[in-house]
PDB file of all heavy atoms in Angstrom:
ATOM      1  N   LYS A 485     -15.758  29.441 -25.217  1.00  0.00           N
ATOM      2  CA  LYS A 485     -16.840  28.470 -25.379  1.00  0.00           C
ATOM      3  C   LYS A 485     -18.191  29.174 -25.410  1.00  0.00           C
ATOM      4  O   LYS A 485     -19.041  28.880 -26.249  1.00  0.00           O
ATOM      5  CB  LYS A 485     -16.809  27.449 -24.237  1.00  0.00           C
ATOM      6  CG  LYS A 485     -17.914  26.426 -24.315  1.00  0.00           C
ATOM      7  CD  LYS A 485     -17.910  25.525 -23.108  1.00  0.00           C
ATOM      8  CE  LYS A 485     -19.115  24.591 -23.164  1.00  0.00           C
ATOM      9  NZ  LYS A 485     -19.459  24.046 -21.893  1.00  0.00           N
ATOM     10  N   ALA A 486     -18.396  30.129 -24.509  1.00  0.00           N
ATOM     11  CA  ALA A 486     -19.655  30.878 -24.459  1.00  0.00           C
ATOM     12  C   ALA A 486     -19.862  31.676 -25.748  1.00  0.00           C
ATOM     13  O   ALA A 486     -20.975  31.729 -26.277  1.00  0.00           O
ATOM     14  CB  ALA A 486     -19.670  31.800 -23.250  1.00  0.00           C
ATOM     15  N   GLU A 487     -18.790  32.281 -26.271  1.00  0.00           N
ATOM     16  CA  GLU A 487     -18.892  33.032 -27.525  1.00  0.00           C
ATOM     17  C   GLU A 487     -19.237  32.115 -28.685  1.00  0.00           C
ATOM     18  O   GLU A 487     -20.072  32.461 -29.530  1.00  0.00           O
ATOM     19  CB  GLU A 487     -17.576  33.761 -27.809  1.00  0.00           C
ATOM     20  CG  GLU A 487     -17.296  34.922 -26.881  1.00  0.00           C
ATOM     21  CD  GLU A 487     -15.911  35.511 -27.067  1.00  0.00           C
ATOM     22  OE1 GLU A 487     -15.124  34.983 -27.902  1.00  0.00           O
ATOM     23  OE2 GLU A 487     -15.596  36.502 -26.384  1.00  0.00           O
ATOM     24  N   ILE A 488     -18.631  30.942 -28.730  1.00  0.00           N
ATOM     25  CA  ILE A 488     -18.910  29.983 -29.800  1.00  0.00           C
ATOM     26  C   ILE A 488     -20.349  29.495 -29.715  1.00  0.00           C
ATOM     27  O   ILE A 488     -21.051  29.422 -30.729  1.00  0.00           O
ATOM     28  CB  ILE A 488     -17.913  28.806 -29.749  1.00  0.00           C
ATOM     29  CG1 ILE A 488     -16.515  29.279 -30.152  1.00  0.00           C
ATOM     30  CG2 ILE A 488     -18.373  27.657 -30.649  1.00  0.00           C
ATOM     31  CD1 ILE A 488     -15.421  28.278 -29.894  1.00  0.00           C
ATOM     32  N   GLU A 489     -20.806  29.184 -28.508  1.00  0.00           N
ATOM     33  CA  GLU A 489     -22.181  28.726 -28.337  1.00  0.00           C
ATOM     34  C   GLU A 489     -23.178  29.800 -28.736  1.00  0.00           C
ATOM     35  O   GLU A 489     -24.196  29.517 -29.364  1.00  0.00           O
ATOM     36  CB  GLU A 489     -22.421  28.273 -26.898  1.00  0.00           C
ATOM     37  CG  GLU A 489     -21.732  26.969 -26.565  1.00  0.00           C
ATOM     38  CD  GLU A 489     -21.808  26.599 -25.098  1.00  0.00           C
ATOM     39  OE1 GLU A 489     -22.135  27.473 -24.258  1.00  0.00           O
ATOM     40  OE2 GLU A 489     -21.545  25.428 -24.784  1.00  0.00           O
ATOM     41  N   ALA A 490     -22.881  31.063 -28.407  1.00  0.00           N
ATOM     42  CA  ALA A 490     -23.764  32.172 -28.795  1.00  0.00           C
ATOM     43  C   ALA A 490     -23.796  32.318 -30.313  1.00  0.00           C
ATOM     44  O   ALA A 490     -24.867  32.536 -30.902  1.00  0.00           O
ATOM     45  CB  ALA A 490     -23.298  33.468 -28.145  1.00  0.00           C
ATOM     46  N   ARG A 491     -22.658  32.174 -30.946  1.00  0.00           N
ATOM     47  CA  ARG A 491     -22.591  32.270 -32.419  1.00  0.00           C
ATOM     48  C   ARG A 491     -23.366  31.126 -33.063  1.00  0.00           C
ATOM     49  O   ARG A 491     -24.053  31.327 -34.067  1.00  0.00           O
ATOM     50  CB  ARG A 491     -21.123  32.270 -32.863  1.00  0.00           C
ATOM     51  CG  ARG A 491     -20.945  32.381 -34.337  1.00  0.00           C
ATOM     52  CD  ARG A 491     -21.376  33.745 -34.865  1.00  0.00           C
ATOM     53  NE  ARG A 491     -21.218  33.740 -36.307  1.00  0.00           N
ATOM     54  CZ  ARG A 491     -22.126  34.176 -37.150  1.00  0.00           C
ATOM     55  NH1 ARG A 491     -23.237  34.726 -36.716  1.00  0.00           N
ATOM     56  NH2 ARG A 491     -21.914  34.122 -38.435  1.00  0.00           N
ATOM     57  N   ILE A 492     -23.258  29.931 -32.509  1.00  0.00           N
ATOM     58  CA  ILE A 492     -24.004  28.782 -33.034  1.00  0.00           C
ATOM     59  C   ILE A 492     -25.500  29.066 -32.967  1.00  0.00           C
ATOM     60  O   ILE A 492     -26.235  28.789 -33.921  1.00  0.00           O
ATOM     61  CB  ILE A 492     -23.636  27.492 -32.265  1.00  0.00           C
ATOM     62  CG1 ILE A 492     -22.229  27.036 -32.642  1.00  0.00           C
ATOM     63  CG2 ILE A 492     -24.646  26.378 -32.534  1.00  0.00           C
ATOM     64  CD1 ILE A 492     -21.677  25.925 -31.775  1.00  0.00           C
ATOM     65  N   LEU A 493     -25.969  29.626 -31.862  1.00  0.00           N
ATOM     66  CA  LEU A 493     -27.391  29.957 -31.723  1.00  0.00           C
ATOM     67  C   LEU A 493     -27.817  31.013 -32.740  1.00  0.00           C
ATOM     68  O   LEU A 493     -28.911  30.926 -33.307  1.00  0.00           O
ATOM     69  CB  LEU A 493     -27.696  30.414 -30.301  1.00  0.00           C
ATOM     70  CG  LEU A 493     -27.596  29.339 -29.216  1.00  0.00           C
ATOM     71  CD1 LEU A 493     -27.833  29.954 -27.844  1.00  0.00           C
ATOM     72  CD2 LEU A 493     -28.587  28.225 -29.479  1.00  0.00           C
ATOM     73  N   GLU A 494     -26.962  32.004 -32.995  1.00  0.00           N
ATOM     74  CA  GLU A 494     -27.276  33.028 -33.989  1.00  0.00           C
ATOM     75  C   GLU A 494     -27.399  32.422 -35.381  1.00  0.00           C
ATOM     76  O   GLU A 494     -28.340  32.727 -36.117  1.00  0.00           O
ATOM     77  CB  GLU A 494     -26.192  34.103 -34.011  1.00  0.00           C
ATOM     78  CG  GLU A 494     -26.160  35.017 -32.820  1.00  0.00           C
ATOM     79  CD  GLU A 494     -24.962  35.955 -32.846  1.00  0.00           C
ATOM     80  OE1 GLU A 494     -24.251  36.013 -33.874  1.00  0.00           O
ATOM     81  OE2 GLU A 494     -24.730  36.632 -31.837  1.00  0.00           O
ATOM     82  N   VAL A 495     -26.436  31.584 -35.747  1.00  0.00           N
ATOM     83  CA  VAL A 495     -26.443  30.964 -37.070  1.00  0.00           C
ATOM     84  C   VAL A 495     -27.653  30.050 -37.221  1.00  0.00           C
ATOM     85  O   VAL A 495     -28.326  30.052 -38.256  1.00  0.00           O
ATOM     86  CB  VAL A 495     -25.129  30.185 -37.321  1.00  0.00           C
ATOM     87  CG1 VAL A 495     -25.210  29.332 -38.571  1.00  0.00           C
ATOM     88  CG2 VAL A 495     -23.960  31.157 -37.409  1.00  0.00           C
ATOM     89  N   ARG A 496     -27.957  29.300 -36.174  1.00  0.00           N
ATOM     90  CA  ARG A 496     -29.116  28.406 -36.212  1.00  0.00           C
ATOM     91  C   ARG A 496     -30.403  29.196 -36.381  1.00  0.00           C
ATOM     92  O   ARG A 496     -31.266  28.842 -37.178  1.00  0.00           O
ATOM     93  CB  ARG A 496     -29.179  27.576 -34.934  1.00  0.00           C
ATOM     94  CG  ARG A 496     -30.311  26.579 -34.917  1.00  0.00           C
ATOM     95  CD  ARG A 496     -30.321  25.776 -33.607  1.00  0.00           C
ATOM     96  NE  ARG A 496     -31.385  24.827 -33.589  1.00  0.00           N
ATOM     97  CZ  ARG A 496     -32.638  25.097 -33.207  1.00  0.00           C
ATOM     98  NH1 ARG A 496     -32.952  26.300 -32.818  1.00  0.00           N
ATOM     99  NH2 ARG A 496     -33.562  24.163 -33.232  1.00  0.00           N
ATOM    100  N   ALA A 497     -30.543  30.294 -35.651  1.00  0.00           N
ATOM    101  CA  ALA A 497     -31.746  31.118 -35.744  1.00  0.00           C
ATOM    102  C   ALA A 497     -31.896  31.709 -37.145  1.00  0.00           C
ATOM    103  O   ALA A 497     -33.003  31.722 -37.699  1.00  0.00           O
ATOM    104  CB  ALA A 497     -31.704  32.230 -34.700  1.00  0.00           C
ATOM    105  N   SER A 498     -30.809  32.179 -37.737  1.00  0.00           N
ATOM    106  CA  SER A 498     -30.896  32.735 -39.087  1.00  0.00           C
ATOM    107  C   SER A 498     -31.222  31.650 -40.106  1.00  0.00           C
ATOM    108  O   SER A 498     -31.970  31.897 -41.063  1.00  0.00           O
ATOM    109  CB  SER A 498     -29.613  33.469 -39.464  1.00  0.00           C
ATOM    110  OG  SER A 498     -28.536  32.573 -39.600  1.00  0.00           O
ATOM    111  N   GLU A 499     -30.706  30.442 -39.906  1.00  0.00           N
ATOM    112  CA  GLU A 499     -31.014  29.330 -40.806  1.00  0.00           C
ATOM    113  C   GLU A 499     -32.490  28.945 -40.701  1.00  0.00           C
ATOM    114  O   GLU A 499     -33.156  28.702 -41.709  1.00  0.00           O
ATOM    115  CB  GLU A 499     -30.125  28.128 -40.490  1.00  0.00           C
ATOM    116  CG  GLU A 499     -30.339  26.932 -41.378  1.00  0.00           C
ATOM    117  CD  GLU A 499     -29.913  27.130 -42.829  1.00  0.00           C
ATOM    118  OE1 GLU A 499     -29.237  28.139 -43.131  1.00  0.00           O
ATOM    119  OE2 GLU A 499     -30.273  26.288 -43.657  1.00  0.00           O
TER     120      GLU A 499
END
Side-chain angles (χ1 to χ4, degrees):
K485 179 185 175 201
E487 289 173 358
I488 290 169
E489 288 172 344
R491 181 68 182 133
I492 288 170
L493 291 176
E494 289 174 9
V495 170
R496 183 180 180 275
S498 68
E499 181 68 12

